[in-house]
Amino acid sequence: MESQKVTFCNEISLMMFGFGDSHKPNPETVRLVESIVLKQLRTIVQEALKYSDNKNLKGKELVFLMRHDKHKMRRFVQYLKNKQLKASLQSMNSSVIEVDKDPKPKGELMKFIEYIDETGEFTDFSEVDEVKQSRLLRADRISQALDEKRYLEFCKARAVSFCSRDITSRNSEKLRQWIDPRKEVNFHSNAMVVLAYLAYQTVAEITDYALLVRMEGKCGADPLNHLYGSYYTSTMFNGDYRIGASGTTNLDYSRVYSGQPPISVNEIKEVMRRVHSPQAGKLTFGGKLPETHFLFAL
């Protein structure tokens, strides 16, 4: 079948490495993550279609689903700004960059975000994004532990996405066939941009949570033990080299890369178990949790 031929396992494997997994992620884990991402994308598409004519899907319907989380919306706005800046630089004939010029995009997606952003919180970057910061700090810690060859591989892995940085007719078609092999939905080009972004963020969050599951498994009986160096925890690191573990700041980063096991299938299953289980104190008033409560990217 056509749907079986389309796969993003190679891309997801590289992404997981870039987010902190082993340099050789477990193939079974990668396939499980791919199935989770695909299921979530299809759920997102079905939710977004409720705000369209149930056949033609534009990017704004997908963006509308993100409105409840200002932090995730800000990351998407920053993503759009970066894309716009890159496009602007590519169209310039000189290398001169106007640093004072606001590169904020004014495309259809950004105009829609500004339209629904009544309080201005979606474009307010004064507040620190702790999730994004923790990913950057983890990547920095990993990069310090790698030799030149592995570092170059790590940089390439961090640049991999579901749309190869830019949506083209070729990779857009691959993504569309993966999500909708029966061609039941007419996707606008902006919708593919958003879906590629949401898929990437889903892989990032699954990896984040899997690393937290592993970290908690190593903390033992001390409930606060995992707080030491929690931003830097990765499958590459063992407890002896976490920040604060031995009271030293002069760690030998050349010994950090220890080839620990990659994220396992069971660790991903534990992530999903926690996501699907109702949280203590959640005000559901006895009702059923919304279908979107377990969608990582939203």
Side-chain angles (χ1 to χ4, degrees), residues 40 44 47 62-69 72 198 202 205 292 295-298:
Q40 296 215 353
I44 290 173
E47 286 293 315
L62 293 164
V63 172
F64 186 69
L65 296 178
M66 301 168 62
R67 70 192 185 282
H68 296 301
D69 193 318
K72 293 182 179 181
L198 294 177
T202 301
E205 293 209 23
T292 56
L295 299 179
F296 293 103
L298 302 182

Side-chain angles (χ1 to χ4, degrees), residues 21-43:
D21 194 4
S22 166
H23 69 290
K24 290 184 178 180
N26 184 345
E28 292 184 8
T29 304
V30 173
R31 286 192 288 271
L32 176 58
V33 171
E34 182 189 38
S35 67
I36 294 171
V37 174
L38 179 57
K39 182 178 179 180
Q40 296 215 353
L41 285 182
R42 288 175 174 172
T43 301

Side-chain angles (χ1 to χ4, degrees), residues 143-161:
S143 65
Q144 295 182 60
L146 303 177
D147 57 29
E148 182 178 357
K149 179 181 178 181
R150 194 71 73 195
Y151 174 74
L152 292 176
E153 293 177 356
F154 182 63
C155 290
K156 290 180 180 178
R158 283 178 52 78
V160 174
S161 70

Side-chain angles (χ1 to χ4, degrees), residues 35-177:
S35 67
I36 294 171
V37 174
L38 179 57
K39 182 178 179 180
Q40 296 215 353
L41 285 182
R42 288 175 174 172
T43 301
I44 290 173
V45 168
Q46 293 304 312
E47 286 293 315
L49 285 173
K50 296 177 181 178
Y51 301 99
S52 68
D53 60 4
N54 210 33
K55 184 177 181 181
N56 297 292
L57 185 62
K58 296 182 179 179
K60 63 181 182 180
E61 283 96 5
L62 293 164
V63 172
F64 186 69
L65 296 178
M66 301 168 62
R67 70 192 185 282
H68 296 301
D69 193 318
K70 64 180 180 181
H71 300 290
K72 293 182 179 181
M73 186 67 85
R74 287 171 185 167
R75 283 176 221 146
F76 182 64
V77 170
Q78 187 63 57
Y79 170 76
L80 292 178
K81 291 177 68 174
N82 292 339
K83 285 179 62 69
Q84 180 67 21
L85 179 59
K86 179 182 177 182
S88 298
L89 293 177
Q90 290 177 340
S91 64
M92 293 173 63
N93 295 324
S94 65
S95 60
V96 178
I97 302 177
E98 298 181 52
V99 295
D100 294 329
K101 187 175 181 180
D102 184 8
K104 184 166 59 176
K106 291 296 182 179
E108 180 182 349
L109 292 178
M110 193 61 215
K111 289 180 180 178
F112 178 72
I113 291 174
E114 292 178 344
Y115 174 74
I116 64 175
D117 186 17
E118 298 179 352
T119 62
E121 61 183 3
F122 296 157
T123 55
D124 178 13
F125 297 99
S126 59
E127 186 177 352
V128 175
D129 186 340
E130 294 184 359
V131 173
K132 184 177 180 179
Q133 187 72 6
S134 67
R135 290 174 183 170
L136 293 175
L137 289 170
R138 185 167 64 223
D140 179 68
R141 181 73 183 276
I142 293 172
S143 65
Q144 295 182 60
L146 303 177
D147 57 29
E148 182 178 357
K149 179 181 178 181
R150 194 71 73 195
Y151 174 74
L152 292 176
E153 293 177 356
F154 182 63
C155 290
K156 290 180 180 178
R158 283 178 52 78
V160 174
S161 70
F162 283 86
C163 59
S164 301
R165 297 186 182 182
D166 292 302
I167 286 289
T168 64
S169 58
R170 181 177 180 179
N171 56 41
S172 176
E173 178 62 17
K174 178 182 177 181
L175 183 61
R176 187 203 60 76
Q177 288 181 4

